[in-house]
Amino acid sequence: MLHLIERDHGYDLSVAVADQMVYNAVRNATSAQRFSLQSRNGMRNAHLARALELMRDNLDEPIPPSNIARKVGISTRQSERLFGKYLNSSPKKYYLEMRLERARHRLLQTEMSVIDIAICCGFQSPGHFSRVFRTAFGVTPMMQRGRLG
């Protein structure tokens, strides 16, 4: 949307709209558009959709995957099979990726401290957060913030 505003009405207006939306990165025309999980994967499994919803709603205080499976009414093993089939991942790994993406977004979109971001994304310590973030993205949280994207 911001790219189209910039194209049709100029950079200044796109930045003003971005500021109103508290969004500081205008994506270019070749960047991938995000789609819903169901659209991306053709997934129509209610248990998996509910598990993902629980994960999304509890990024600040992660729930053990076995508890998530129980809450959605399936076994831990069935949950692992669903995540493998539809997401090519384990529940634990996918949950960590969700938390890291949230953290990355917060680094780029807010002025929150790295410590506050680590805490609000369910990491017990800033050191652990920094190590896991660097492994996932190849840069430290502070380096990511400096790159703005």
Side-chain angles (χ1 to χ4, degrees), residues 43 45-55 63-95:
M43 189 231 354
N45 186 287
H47 295 297
L48 183 57
R50 178 70 181 123
L52 292 172
E53 181 182 336
L54 282 169
M55 288 176 170
I63 302 169
S66 58
N67 291 2
I68 292 172
R70 189 174 57 249
K71 285 181 183 233
V72 301
I74 58 176
S75 69
T76 301
R77 182 65 191 121
Q78 179 64 17
S79 173
E80 290 168 352
R81 281 193 292 270
L82 290 172
F83 272 82
K85 177 180 179 181
Y86 290 107
L87 302 172
N88 199 30
S89 185
S90 70
K92 183 177 178 179
K93 181 180 177 201
Y94 197 84
Y95 206 178

Side-chain angles (χ1 to χ4, degrees), residues 55-146:
M55 288 176 170
R56 226 180 353 265
D57 292 346
N58 293 283
L59 294 176
D60 57 339
E61 292 185 34
I63 302 169
S66 58
N67 291 2
I68 292 172
R70 189 174 57 249
K71 285 181 183 233
V72 301
I74 58 176
S75 69
T76 301
R77 182 65 191 121
Q78 179 64 17
S79 173
E80 290 168 352
R81 281 193 292 270
L82 290 172
F83 272 82
K85 177 180 179 181
Y86 290 107
L87 302 172
N88 199 30
S89 185
S90 70
K92 183 177 178 179
K93 181 180 177 201
Y94 197 84
Y95 206 178
L96 177 61
E97 290 169 356
M98 288 175 78
R99 293 167 46 219
L100 287 169
E101 279 299 324
R102 165 78 55 89
R104 187 173 186 216
H105 174 78
R106 296 254 166 114
L107 284 165
L108 296 172
Q109 301 297 324
T110 73
E111 296 302 318
M112 292 173 68
S113 72
V114 172
I115 292 170
D116 288 341
I117 291 171
I119 291 167
C120 82
C121 293
F123 293 93
Q124 296 300 314
S125 75
H128 177 250
F129 167 61
S130 186
R131 283 188 300 278
V132 172
F133 191 94
R134 184 178 189 130
T135 298
F137 298 114
V139 294
T140 66
M142 287 304 294
M143 291 167 64
Q144 178 70 67
R145 175 166 275 162

